[in-house]
Amino acid sequence: MKPGDWLGKTALVTGASSGIGEVAALALARAGLRVILTARRESRLQMLAAKISGESGRAEIIPADLASESERLRLYDLVMKDYGCPDVLVNNAGLGWYGFFADMPWETGRDLIQVNVEAVVQLSLLFLRQMRRLDRGHIINVGSVSGSIPSQGVAVYSASKAFLDAFTTSLHRELKGTQVRASVVRPGPVATEFFEVTAHASQGRRVPAERFSTTPERVADCIVSLLDRPRRVVYVPGWLRVTPWAEVLFGWAMDQVGPLLLHRQVMQAQKEIRRL
């Protein structure tokens, strides 16, 4: 579509109760799109919808737990019944965990895979069928540079984001010759409550990369920019486009230094516990 053609169109944003999803929903609404907000926390969705309405935007809420297949199907049915096929699907909802993989509770890993991978695939499949029938639409998946740099402490999270990279690239190529687009946004660390949630997860630890965070507003701006200038991938900030080469060129160094950093963090945490 040309710039301005998105006015009055509809965007479904998952994980819209906080962080990137919340800010992206605001940015899309300010660009003139009606936004459908989904996440588990209904009260947070209501506050965001009220804020968007207060800015003369349009927002609808559908609370749902995307770790559940039945909830994903319910979300799809409600969206199609009440609003029709969205013009934009932003697969933003995601879970994280940091620590030694062997220490991760299975329930945590299962939920991470269900939200970060299964939900993205199922929602994309359901809505893509409608988008192709209409020959319009854009699927935007929120990935991470960690998908290109598998690092200690985030084994399952990195793997889920690497899956999104491959999945989106394949979709992008399959959709050539149509008016449907697929893009992946690969931010570095983003200053959201993600870090607090991860730090307080069962057996989890604080992610060291937090101090290098960019803002969710920068990510949201890139998401909106993809509507008028579709691309297969966009990095936030832009200089992170070098990350795929970092693994190729310096993976050997990460093999040596990375595990030491995680081990030192675990030892420090154990010392603090003993002091208490």
Side-chain angles (χ1 to χ4, degrees), residues 2 30 44 59 100 136 149 152 159 180 184 209 216 238:
K2 297 177 182 179
R30 288 166 180 163
R44 296 285 291 268
F100 284 107
R136 61 169 173 76
I149 308 179
Q152 69 289 338
V180 184
V184 62

Side-chain angles (χ1 to χ4, degrees), residues 98 152 208 256-266 268:
Y98 183 78
Q152 69 289 338
Q256 305 302 317
V257 177
L260 296 177
L261 295 176
L262 178 57
H263 182 72
R264 184 174 66 178
Q265 184 180 4
V266 172
Q268 288 175 341

Side-chain angles (χ1 to χ4, degrees), residues 1-11 28 31-33 85-89 131 134-139 178-182 224-231:
M1 289 188 181
K2 297 177 182 179
D5 286 352
W6 292 98
L7 188 66
K9 302 298 183 181
T10 300
L28 290 164
L33 287 85
C85 182
D87 301 280
V88 183
L89 169 61
M131 290 178 176
L134 298 168
D135 197 28
R136 61 169 173 76
H138 199 149
I139 296 174
T178 76
Q179 294 302 308
V180 184
R181 304 287 182 257
V224 174
S225 75
L226 283 169
L227 301 185
D228 291 332
R229 187 177 166 230
R231 286 153 284 168

Side-chain angles (χ1 to χ4, degrees), residues 3-268:
D5 286 352
W6 292 98
L7 188 66
K9 302 298 183 181
T10 300
L12 171 60
V13 182
T14 71
S17 60
S18 64
I20 294 172
E22 177 183 1
V23 179
L26 276 167
L28 290 164
R30 288 166 180 163
L33 287 85
R34 174 175 64 177
V35 291
I36 304 170
L37 315 171
T38 188
R40 289 176 296 178
R41 295 175 290 184
E42 183 173 0
S43 61
R44 296 285 291 268
L45 295 179
Q46 290 173 338
M47 288 190 291
L48 177 57
K51 183 174 182 179
I52 290 172
S53 297
E55 296 182 1
S56 301
R58 292 190 296 168
E60 316 291 342
I61 70 168
I62 304 178
D65 181 358
L66 297 185
S68 164
E69 181 173 1
S70 62
E71 286 283 279
R72 297 192 290 264
L73 292 171
R74 182 180 65 85
L75 171 65
Y76 171 75
D77 289 340
L78 287 173
V79 170
M80 292 301 299
K81 173 178 174 290
D82 295 337
Y83 313 107
C85 182
D87 301 280
V88 183
L89 169 61
V90 181
N91 284 310
N92 163 74
L95 302 177
W97 190 87
Y98 183 78
F100 284 107
F101 171 65
D103 296 333
M104 183 180 68
W106 164 241
E107 293 77 13
T108 300
R110 178 198 61 205
D111 290 348
L112 191 155
I113 293 168
Q114 288 173 337
V115 174
N116 294 21
V117 176
E118 287 186 20
V120 173
V121 173
Q122 188 169 23
L123 292 178
S124 296
L125 180 60
L126 291 168
F127 288 113
L128 180 59
R129 288 169 174 164
Q130 301 300 325
M131 290 178 176
R132 289 199 63 179
R133 180 177 61 82
L134 298 168
D135 197 28
R136 61 169 173 76
H138 199 149
I139 296 174
I140 300 175
N141 296 324
V142 178
S144 168
V145 293
S146 68
S148 301
I149 308 179
S151 302
Q152 69 289 338
V154 287
V156 181
Y157 179 79
S158 285
S160 73
K161 296 304 183 179
F163 177 93
L164 283 190
D165 290 346
F167 175 65
T168 310
T169 297
S170 296
L171 279 187
H172 174 84
R173 291 170 180 168
E174 286 183 15
L175 293 168
K176 284 291 186 181
T178 76
Q179 294 302 308
V180 184
R181 304 287 182 257
S183 304
V184 62
V185 180
R186 296 177 184 168
V190 183
T192 69
E193 65 180 35
F194 175 91
F195 291 104
E196 284 300 319
V197 173
T198 302
H200 292 93
S202 176
Q203 303 295 318
R205 306 189 182 282
R206 184 168 292 277
V207 181
E210 180 178 1
R211 60 182 176 272
F212 304 114
S213 298
T214 188
T215 66
E217 286 77 13
R218 291 188 71 176
V219 183
D221 287 344
C222 284
I223 290 173
V224 174
S225 75
L226 283 169
L227 301 185
D228 291 332
R229 187 177 166 230
R231 286 153 284 168
R232 175 174 62 84
V233 57
V234 60
Y235 289 89
V236 189
W239 64 266
L240 285 175
R241 63 175 59 92
V242 304
T243 52
W245 292 101
E247 173 64 25
V248 174
L249 297 174
F250 305 109
W252 60 272
M254 297 179 200
D255 290 345
Q256 305 302 317
V257 177
L260 296 177
L261 295 176
L262 178 57
H263 182 72
R264 184 174 66 178
Q265 184 180 4
V266 172
M267 295 299 293
Q268 288 175 341

